[in-house]
Amino acid sequence: MAQLGLFIIGAFAALFLVLAPPPAAAQMKMEGGHGAAHNQRGKPASAHGAHQADTRPTKIPEHLDVARTKFSEQAKFSVNVTSRLDPVTINKMHSWVLNLKNPDGKPVRDAKLDISGGMPMHGHGLSTAPRVTKNLGDGKYLIEGVRFNMAGWWELKIVIDSGHHKDNVTFNLILK
Ligand SMILES: [Cu+2]
């Protein structure tokens, strides 16, 4: 008899546990959802907008430098890039030749080049991993595996390490 009583109490307790959580959980969820929605309409939403403006340009700069020959950022090198696909079009794998000189115009041979890039307005990188596949001599380097997969403003960034100097340069492209 005592065992049956315990069983009944146990069954009620189990039933209560099964039934009780859903309304409580649902209520908590609603409160959480309401809180999150409220926050999104409030301060965090504007903070998020400011964050986006800080990190990503919303339009192409008016006087964007699209030169193919320029000095590296600290003027350690003079760098020229020439695409073997001319004009550069999207979705086509192609290669570039980089011509590296010191500021006096003497070729810089046997440098190490690291290539990256992406779209400043979209916040993504290159769709491929271009790299130097051949030292063409006389300060010229073949970069293979370049492909731009959409129209717009692209940056091609090159880190140059000559052994004596390390510097980087960024080339801009606007593709249609
Ligand atoms: Cu993009």
Side-chain angles (χ1 to χ4, degrees), residues 14-171:
L15 194 67
F16 177 78
L17 281 173
V18 166
L19 292 178
Q27 197 180 3
M28 274 169 68
K29 235 179 195 171
M30 273 175 68
E31 278 171 6
H34 177 75
H38 179 76
N39 284 345
Q40 271 175 13
R41 281 195 301 268
K43 208 172 161 191
S46 57
H48 181 71
H51 173 76
Q52 288 242 329
D54 282 348
T55 53
R56 281 189 212 169
T58 53
K59 57 178 184 170
I60 298 170
E62 209 176 324
H63 302 290
L64 186 70
D65 178 11
V66 293
R68 289 286 174 270
T69 303
K70 58 169 74 172
F71 283 108
S72 54
E73 275 172 31
Q74 296 166 61
K76 304 284 187 195
F77 307 103
S78 169
V79 192
N80 166 266
V81 283
T82 307
S83 170
R84 284 191 168 174
L85 175 69
D86 184 29
V88 179
T89 48
I90 63 166
N91 294 325
K92 236 179 183 179
M93 193 71 86
H94 63 285
S95 55
W96 290 59
V97 173
L98 185 142
N99 195 348
L100 188 63
K101 292 173 178 174
N102 70 17
D104 298 332
K106 294 208 176 82
V108 177
R109 300 176 180 91
D110 304 317
K112 202 178 146 282
L113 307 178
D114 189 68
I115 297 118
S116 63
M119 301 187 82
M121 287 164 62
H122 296 177
H124 63 73
L126 297 172
S127 63
T128 58
R131 59 189 179 91
V132 173
T133 54
K134 202 173 183 184
N135 188 332
L136 300 171
D138 215 27
K140 292 187 178 71
Y141 304 82
L142 178 66
I143 298 166
E144 287 190 291
V146 183
R147 183 166 60 89
F148 303 103
N149 62 337
M150 63 182 82
W153 170 24
W154 286 87
E155 284 181 333
L156 199 62
K157 298 172 180 234
I158 300 151
V159 178
I160 304 157
D161 188 352
S162 69
H164 299 287
H165 296 291
K166 199 171 176 183
D167 204 352
N168 47 282
V169 63
T170 301
F171 293 97

